[in-house]
């Protein structure tokens, strides 16, 4: 995809409004494997560096910006990219080619010519240099906020990634029956990503069956699915570091009435939450509305007792919905979440699990992922049983402690009109 990195650098430079400070953005360094060998973990350039350069193999690279150079026309748009020198060994063993730009050896003299000026440091820290902490924090907040608005090329790339993800899910639907292992599901869905041209899975694929469906980050195991168990799959393809994040929950066979009601509660909650993803809407309001909707469903099922709004006000929803409604996604699975500029962390229990606190804007891409889970570590906690003694039908809960859970997640583009569900082509089935 044609991502315009020069335009990005110009836009970010304008956003940061630097006057005399020097901006340095480090790519980071390869990390050795924790063993006695000469091998390294796969290198991933820092997200902030990659966003501005698109360079994947610039280990130790430094992108620098000097507003004085911009004013004097001494460097292209004021930016200069110092890149590592490719060694003969790297050419032979890895087939690596020399990146364009001055070599890192020249960075020291470049910096010495600017001695005494304040340094703002984004990306991976540059060893041996001290940054102005306050200005660095301010710059990072402004940079992150600017990255939230996805440009047309990013949106097209995300759509492309969504179709490859949909192919992966379509491949495993026929496997979702008793006897299949969690690992088999993972292998087949990720293999289809590769077959369709994706770079890789965007994050560690989650497959949880039966009670494992209540483990948020369940690593796929050799556990074989049993009849009528939930199968929760959370997986997405990655292209050029851009990621789709989607979750579907299935049943291996015929669902019980309780399973069907639980699923329908999550589904109806998700559809209402997606419809609320409009410009100008507070993300906390979407989360709160989803919490009330989920609790209302549990009350209707006889799992919880009382008024849904009052139960949420008591934080009783955290027994079954202990995570946030979603997060931003794009360049990575946690792309530019956080808070709008000027906000401070809301420490109230109802919002403590939120990954972001901001107002939605057109061209934001977010996940919407309500879920209901029967997590023994939460539901068997004596303090929870005492605090919420009158809020929960505990005998009914005890009958379903090994049920697992249901989560439905879509990647959603906020537009000037109705939200666009980028993952709409992945069916929800029960």
């Amino acid at each position: 995809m044609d991502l315009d990195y020069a335009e990005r650098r110009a836009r970010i430079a304008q956003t940061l409004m630097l006057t005399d400070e020097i901006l340095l953005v480090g790519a980071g360094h390869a990390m050795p494997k924790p063993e006695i060998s000469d091998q390294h973990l796969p290198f991933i350039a820092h997200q902030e560096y990659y966003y501005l350069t698109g360079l994947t193999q610039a280990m130790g690279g430094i992108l620098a910006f000097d507003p004085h150079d911009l004013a004097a026309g001494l460097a292209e748009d004021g930016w200069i990219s110092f890149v590592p020198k490719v060694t003969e060994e790297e050419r032979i063993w890895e087939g690596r080619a020399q990146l364009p730009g001055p070599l890192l050896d020249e960075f020291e003299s470049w910096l010495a010519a600017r001695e005494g000026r304040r340094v703002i440091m984004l990306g991976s820290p540059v060893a041996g240099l001290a940054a102005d902490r306050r200005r660095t924090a301010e710059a990072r907040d402004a940079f992150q906020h600017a990255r939230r608005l996805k440009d047309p090329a990013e949106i097209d790339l995300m759509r492309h990634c969504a179709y490859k993800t949909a192919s992966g899910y379509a491949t495993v639907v026929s496997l979702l029956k008793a006897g299949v292992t969690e690992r088999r599901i993972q292998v087949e869905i990720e293999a289809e990503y590769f077959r369709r041209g994706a770079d890789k899975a965007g994050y560690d694929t989650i497959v949880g069956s039966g009670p494992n469906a209540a483990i948020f980050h369940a690593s796929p195991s050799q556990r074989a699915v049993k009849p009528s168990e939930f199968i929760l799959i959370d997986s997405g393809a990655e292209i050029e570091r851009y990621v789709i994040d989607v979750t579907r929950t299935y049943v291996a066979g015929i669902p019980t009435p309780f399973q069907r009601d639980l699923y329908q509660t999550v589904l109806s909650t998700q559809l209402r939450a997606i419809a609320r993803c409009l410009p100008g809407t507070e993300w906390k309001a979407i989360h709160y509305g989803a919490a009330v909707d989920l609790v209302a469903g549990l009350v209707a099922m006889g799992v919880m007792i009382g008024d849904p709004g009052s139960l949420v006000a008591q934080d009783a929803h955290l027994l079954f919905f202990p995570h946030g409604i979603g997060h931003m996604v794009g360049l990575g699975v946690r792309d530019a979440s956080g808070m709008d500029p000027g906000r401070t962390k809301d420490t109230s229990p109802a919002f403590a699990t939120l990954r972001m606190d901001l107002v939605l804007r057109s061209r934001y891409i977010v996940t919407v992922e309500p879920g209901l889970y029967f997590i023994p570590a939460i539901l068997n906690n004596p303090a929870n049983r005492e605090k919420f003694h009158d809020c929960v039908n505990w005998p009914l809960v005890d009958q379903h402690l090994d049920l697992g859970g249901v989560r439905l997640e879509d990647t959603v583009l906020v537009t000037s009109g109705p939200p666009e569900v980028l993952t709409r082509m992945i069916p929800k089935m029960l």
Side-chain angles (χ1 to χ4, degrees):
M1 296 293 174
D2 295 324
L3 298 172
D4 191 340
Y5 295 101
E7 185 279 331
R8 285 184 177 178
R9 291 191 293 270
R11 175 163 46 85
I12 294 303
Q14 186 176 26
T15 297
L16 298 184
M17 296 186 295
L18 305 185
T19 54
D20 188 57
E21 308 96 332
I22 298 166
L23 172 65
L24 304 179
V25 187
H29 295 271
M31 296 179 61
K33 288 185 175 180
E35 58 192 37
I36 302 175
S37 75
D38 60 354
Q39 299 297 303
H40 287 75
L41 296 170
F43 174 72
I44 301 175
H46 194 286
Q47 190 180 71
E48 292 170 340
Y49 177 89
Y50 181 83
Y51 180 83
L52 293 170
T53 66
L55 299 178
T56 59
Q57 292 299 316
M59 289 176 282
I62 301 170
L63 180 67
F65 176 76
D66 184 345
H68 293 183
D69 287 357
L70 175 61
L74 298 178
E76 181 185 356
D77 298 328
W79 295 91
I80 185 168
S81 178
F82 296 94
V83 297
K85 182 180 180 180
V86 175
T87 66
E88 190 68 15
E89 184 179 53
E90 290 168 336
R91 293 180 189 276
I92 294 172
W93 287 87
E94 302 175 32
R96 194 176 302 175
Q98 182 62 54
L99 295 170
L103 298 180
L104 282 169
D105 292 345
E106 301 178 41
F107 173 70
E108 187 174 344
S109 61
W110 181 91
L111 187 65
R114 292 154 179 82
E115 185 178 1
R117 291 168 61 184
R118 287 190 299 174
V119 174
I120 294 173
M121 201 176 301
L122 299 180
S124 182
V126 178
L129 293 180
D132 185 299
R133 291 187 178 182
R134 181 184 64 83
R135 288 292 291 122
T136 292
E138 292 172 348
R140 173 159 280 123
D141 286 345
F143 185 18
Q144 180 161 282
H145 188 58
R147 288 203 302 112
R148 289 173 180 150
L149 286 176
K150 299 298 183 282
D151 60 44
E154 288 178 292
I155 294 170
D156 285 345
L157 185 55
M158 294 287 287
R159 290 194 182 105
H160 195 50
C161 197
Y163 279 102
K164 296 184 186 304
T165 301
S167 296
Y169 276 82
T171 296
V172 301
V173 167
S174 63
L175 302 175
L176 302 178
K177 51 192 174 184
V180 69
T181 65
E182 296 169 347
R183 179 69 71 191
R184 171 77 187 283
I185 295 169
Q186 176 201 13
V187 168
E188 295 301 328
I189 198 169
E190 292 185 4
E192 186 64 13
Y193 295 161
F194 285 113
R195 282 191 287 264
R196 294 290 176 170
D199 296 332
K200 59 179 180 176
Y203 49 94
D204 291 342
T205 292
I206 296 166
V207 182
S209 61
N212 290 348
I215 301 173
F216 296 152
H217 292 167
S219 296
S221 70
Q222 294 297 341
R223 183 185 189 276
V225 177
K226 297 177 182 178
S228 296
E229 283 189 327
F230 279 131
I231 305 172
L232 186 151
I233 306 173
D234 186 339
S235 182
E238 176 179 317
I239 306 173
E240 297 181 33
R241 295 276 299 266
Y242 283 82
V243 175
I244 282 294
D245 194 357
V246 61
T247 306
R248 293 292 184 263
T249 304
Y250 307 90
V251 171
I254 300 174
T256 67
F258 190 89
Q259 286 176 311
R260 188 178 297 279
D261 288 346
L262 195 71
Y263 184 96
Q264 290 301 322
T265 293
V266 175
L267 176 59
S268 60
T269 295
Q270 194 212 23
L271 294 177
R272 283 192 290 270
I274 289 172
R276 295 173 182 139
C277 290
L278 302 171
T281 303
E282 285 279 357
W283 186 246
K284 285 198 298 189
I286 295 174
H287 173 79
Y288 180 82
V292 172
D293 288 343
L294 290 171
V295 170
L298 292 176
V299 169
M301 293 174 62
V303 175
M304 300 192 78
I305 303 165
D307 173 73
S310 176
L311 290 169
V312 171
Q314 299 173 62
D315 303 320
H317 64 289
L318 296 174
L319 294 170
F320 302 96
F321 176 46
H323 62 71
I325 191 62
H327 50 82
M328 303 200 83
V329 65
L331 184 56
V333 76
R334 296 284 184 266
D335 183 31
S337 290
M339 296 178 289
D340 266 342
R343 296 196 174 186
T344 56
K345 177 69 175 176
D346 189 330
T347 58
S348 61
F351 300 121
T353 57
L354 288 185
R355 298 184 184 274
M356 60 187 193
D357 179 4
L358 45 74
V359 176
L360 291 182
R361 292 170 174 82
S362 181
R363 293 168 34 211
Y364 278 14
I365 297 180
V366 300
T367 68
V368 179
E369 49 181 306
L372 288 172
Y373 315 86
F374 286 74
I375 302 173
I378 294 176
L379 298 175
N380 283 333
N381 186 317
N384 287 334
R385 294 238 172 182
E386 180 179 357
K387 179 178 179 181
F388 299 110
H389 179 268
D390 297 327
C391 301
V392 176
N393 182 345
W394 290 107
L396 181 59
V397 166
D398 289 338
Q399 295 176 32
H400 296 94
L401 281 176
D402 62 350
L403 183 69
V406 175
R407 180 167 68 253
L408 295 172
E409 176 185 22
D410 281 290
T411 298
V412 178
L413 170 65
V414 181
T415 75
S416 57
E420 177 186 345
V421 182
L422 299 180
T423 47
R424 63 190 178 279
M425 72 291 292
I426 305 174
K428 295 167 182 145
M429 304 167 60
L430 189 64

